[in-house]
Amino acid sequence: MTAPLDLLDLDTLLTDEERDVRDLARRVADDRVRPQIADWYERGTVPVRDLAAEFGKLGLLGMHLEGYGCAGASAVQYGLACMELEAADSGVRSLVSVQGSLAMYAIWKYGSEEQKQQWLPGMAAGELIGCFGLTEPDHGSDPANMSTRARRDGDDWVLTGGKMWITNAPVADVAVIWARAEEGVYGFAVPTGTPGFAAREIKHKMSLRASSTGEITLDEVRLPESARLPEARGLKAPLSCLTEARFGIIWGALGAARDCLHTALEYSTTREQFGRPIGGFQLTQAKLADMTVELQKGFLLALHLGRRRDEAGSLRPEQVSVGKLNNVREAITIARQCRTILGGNGISGEYPVMRHANNLESVLTYEGTSEIHQLVIGQALTGLNAFAG
Ligand SMILES: Cc1cc2nc3c(=O)[nH]c(=O)nc-3n(C[C@H](O)[C@H](O)[C@H](O)COP(=O)(O)OP(=O)(O)OC[C@H]3O[C@@H](n4cnc5c(N)ncnc54)[C@H](O)[C@@H]3O)c2cc1C
């Protein structure tokens, strides 16, 4: 947290090593992302390869994984890095989440030794970019009904179908693709140069504009058995990857909210109306107070989940759902409220607030919508599955 928003001195709950990682991520976000982010956002572009190379040098890619060139950081350290990157922009944090928690984690957890050696060191260094294709045009919240098929043909596999809304896909070197075979859902590490694989950039996004998002088509993509992730059996494999990425979002969303609140607080003490700073009006102070309370509560929640994960080695899906549901929902509420404090300037790209608010619309939807997380929590509470009605 950045004083004066850290009313509860939550910074004191962090170790020196954790603060070091946080400061490193904050520095790279400040130096490398902030000066250019408004321009990237407006133009709807982002230099994924340059950023990945810089993040890789600093050990920020797949940082919570062990071996293969990964930093082996704790869950809390990883969360703090996500928070600082997303304080600059959710799109930049998405780049890191998809690379580390989705693509690298899938290969690290479910891949063969040969696949790990082939992909992970280059991905950790930011020399190779990965993406993770689960969502399809007709199947988002309900991936169990996916249409993409994996068919055996002699010793090979042939993939047919399509994936939608895939972060990093247009620039990726390797795509982790989930497809239904006769035996169930399988994952494949697909080199994107394989004939029949194509990724088209999705244009006209009003959110997450500083992120590369693609639609993948798989037209009879022929792969050897060695491309299949041997340890991934069934839908629980991709869902476990989502649990990884959702953990980073719990922290990341707080970064976006903090940046909005920081901006609104500063603005409220310098902008004058009726002869006094707008921060001197009780209604503005009520907004600032409520937002600060929520931000600090969100941080405590993230830190609790991070400490649990570091101690227990993993979190239950419903625990991650509590964090993602609350922290993204509160972050977007804070961003919208901060927008009101900036008045007309709130809609300008000169300030980061509207950009964060727009980005958080994507964050609210991806990695499980709020409704899906409510259903996960509801099922944990009642033992009843309400997903299908
Ligand atoms: C910018 C961006 C980047 C993304 N990156 C990736 C990526 O890298 N890889 C990837 O695989 N996917 C990615 N996604 C896809 C994302 O995970 C999906 O958009 C998300 O899971 C929702 O699916 P959908 O868009 O098909 O919406 P739908 O599933 O059609 O949902 C529409 C609405 O219906 C609600 N709904 C659905 N089912 C139920 C139910 N049972 N009960 C109550 N309400 C329900 C939802 O909550 C939502 O409000 C990305 C999305 C965006 C926007």
Side-chain angles (χ1 to χ4, degrees):
M1 299 258 134
T2 314
L5 297 180
D6 187 12
L7 292 180
L8 298 176
D9 297 334
L10 299 183
D11 202 54
T12 60
L13 300 176
L14 301 177
T15 64
D16 287 344
E17 292 75 27
E18 288 164 351
R19 276 189 223 112
D20 287 347
V21 170
R22 185 211 38 208
D23 294 347
L24 176 86
R26 188 177 291 178
R27 238 186 343 267
V28 70
D30 284 349
D31 294 350
R32 191 61 184 88
V33 182
R34 277 186 199 277
Q36 303 186 68
I37 187 63
D39 180 51
W40 294 339
Y41 194 87
E42 194 153 340
R43 289 192 288 117
T45 178
V46 62
V48 174
R49 285 201 175 270
D50 294 353
L51 287 178
E54 294 205 27
F55 295 158
K57 259 188 242 146
L58 298 174
L60 295 172
L61 300 177
M63 68 184 286
H64 62 305
L65 305 178
E66 293 279 351
Y68 307 97
C70 304
S74 70
V76 171
Q77 287 173 325
Y78 172 54
L80 287 164
C82 288
M83 190 165 82
E84 294 309 321
L85 294 174
E86 194 150 352
D89 192 79
S90 304
V92 172
R93 196 270 308 143
S94 299
L95 186 171
V96 170
S97 288
V98 169
Q99 176 86 349
S101 287
L102 291 179
M104 290 176 73
Y105 179 77
I107 295 169
W108 183 84
K109 176 87 178 161
Y110 299 111
S112 64
E113 188 54 35
E114 188 193 346
Q115 288 165 342
K116 293 178 196 182
Q117 298 288 355
Q118 180 183 1
W119 297 113
L120 293 180
M123 292 171 86
E127 290 155 5
L128 297 174
I129 308 291
C131 69
F132 181 93
L134 180 64
T135 305
E136 300 183 346
D138 295 330
H139 305 283
S141 301
D142 181 20
N145 275 317
M146 68 175 70
S147 310
T148 299
R149 291 286 178 265
R151 164 172 62 81
R152 271 214 184 265
D153 187 24
D155 289 341
D156 291 344
W157 289 94
V158 178
L159 266 52
T160 312
K163 299 288 175 183
M164 188 69 185
W165 297 116
I166 307 305
T167 303
N168 293 350
V171 285
D173 301 285
V174 58
V176 172
I177 296 289
W178 300 95
R180 186 168 288 287
E182 254 178 36
E183 302 87 338
V185 171
Y186 279 153
F188 297 84
V190 184
T192 54
T194 310
F197 182 100
R200 159 190 88 79
E201 182 91 39
I202 297 177
K203 300 274 186 197
H204 312 299
K205 286 182 301 175
M206 298 295 162
S207 169
L208 230 64
R209 288 180 57 74
S211 172
S212 176
T213 316
E215 175 174 10
I216 293 174
T217 49
L218 302 151
D219 180 11
E220 302 274 307
V221 175
R222 183 171 287 275
L223 299 165
E225 164 67 10
S226 60
R228 186 173 69 81
L229 303 177
E231 306 302 325
R233 291 200 188 86
L235 197 64
K236 65 180 190 308
L239 294 185
S240 74
C241 302
L242 295 182
T243 301
E244 286 293 298
R246 288 165 180 170
F247 175 77
I249 292 172
I250 293 170
W251 291 79
L254 294 175
R258 187 192 74 202
D259 199 48
C260 291
L261 188 46
H262 189 70
T263 306
L265 182 60
E266 225 170 67
Y267 191 88
S268 74
T269 54
T270 52
R271 171 75 176 173
E272 294 195 1
Q273 289 294 293
F274 300 95
R276 55 198 291 217
I278 58 169
F281 299 125
Q282 291 181 2
L283 290 175
T284 308
Q285 289 195 4
K287 290 179 188 177
L288 292 169
D290 286 349
M291 291 190 287
T292 304
V293 169
E294 287 308 328
L295 191 60
Q296 298 246 287
K297 280 157 64 181
F299 186 84
L300 283 171
L301 173 56
L303 190 60
H304 170 68
L305 290 173
R307 295 267 184 256
R308 285 291 307 143
R309 208 187 122 153
D310 280 330
E311 282 156 22
S314 64
L315 292 169
R316 296 197 302 277
E318 67 269 23
Q319 295 177 323
V320 175
S321 286
V322 169
K324 205 249 177 191
L325 175 65
N326 182 77
N327 283 11
V328 180
R329 194 164 59 183
E330 293 306 325
I332 202 166
T333 304
I334 288 172
R336 290 171 180 158
Q337 190 73 284
C338 288
R339 217 283 309 147
T340 69
I341 292 179
L342 268 71
N345 280 326
I347 70 148
S348 167
E350 298 286 321
Y351 294 88
V353 177
M354 188 81 167
R355 175 169 52 78
H356 284 307
N358 285 354
N359 281 339
L360 287 166
E361 295 289 346
S362 289
V363 181
L364 196 68
T365 286
Y366 70 22
E367 303 290 345
T369 64
S370 296
E371 293 79 10
I372 293 301
H373 290 295
Q374 286 171 320
L375 295 179
V376 171
I377 296 166
Q379 184 174 10
L381 292 172
T382 64
L384 303 171
N385 175 345
F387 285 87

